[in-house]
Amino acid sequence: MATEHNLAGALRKARKARGLSQEDFSDVSSRTYLSSLERGLKNPTLDKLAELCEVMQVHPVTLLTLAYAGNARQADHVLAQVRRELETILSKVDL
């Protein structure tokens, strides 16, 4: 998997693509905190990431894929890798 990621840029890109302002997240985050996330100064917890994604109406995996891939072509590679890894993990676990 790629070692570099840009969660800050992915968050900003997804927010803008949804036509949302930083103030639109006021139910789950302060504008100052969201600004810090988008500038890469802070990293959200998984719970906070889920809340932010809920506001944007995107799955957290979508945002993480965007952070690791950056574009649609690379996203195909990332998602294919995730599928292979999930299949391997789940095939070795008693469910």
Side-chain angles (χ1 to χ4, degrees):
M1 185 174 283
T3 56
E4 290 188 36
H5 61 83
N6 186 0
L7 183 59
L11 180 58
R12 184 174 45 256
K13 192 180 289 187
R15 176 181 62 78
K16 289 183 175 186
R18 294 295 197 199
L20 298 168
S21 69
Q22 291 180 339
E23 289 79 14
D24 291 326
F25 291 79
S26 63
D27 287 345
V28 298
S29 175
S30 71
R31 194 198 67 70
T32 303
Y33 179 69
L34 189 60
S35 176
S36 294
L37 292 175
E38 288 187 356
R39 289 182 288 138
L41 301 176
K42 295 188 178 192
N43 291 304
T45 63
L46 286 176
D47 288 339
K48 182 55 73 174
L49 185 70
E51 289 176 352
L52 296 170
C53 286
E54 190 173 313
V55 172
M56 293 185 290
Q57 297 181 341
V58 299
H59 194 284
V61 173
T62 302
L63 190 65
L64 291 173
T65 301
L66 183 60
Y68 278 88
N71 62 55
R73 181 172 167 232
Q74 193 60 27
D76 288 339
H77 295 288
V78 170
L79 292 171
Q81 180 176 352
V82 168
R83 178 175 295 281
R84 286 190 307 274
E85 291 170 357
L86 283 172
E87 288 171 353
T88 300
I89 291 167
L90 294 174
S91 72
K92 296 176 191 239
V93 178
D94 282 335
L95 295 177

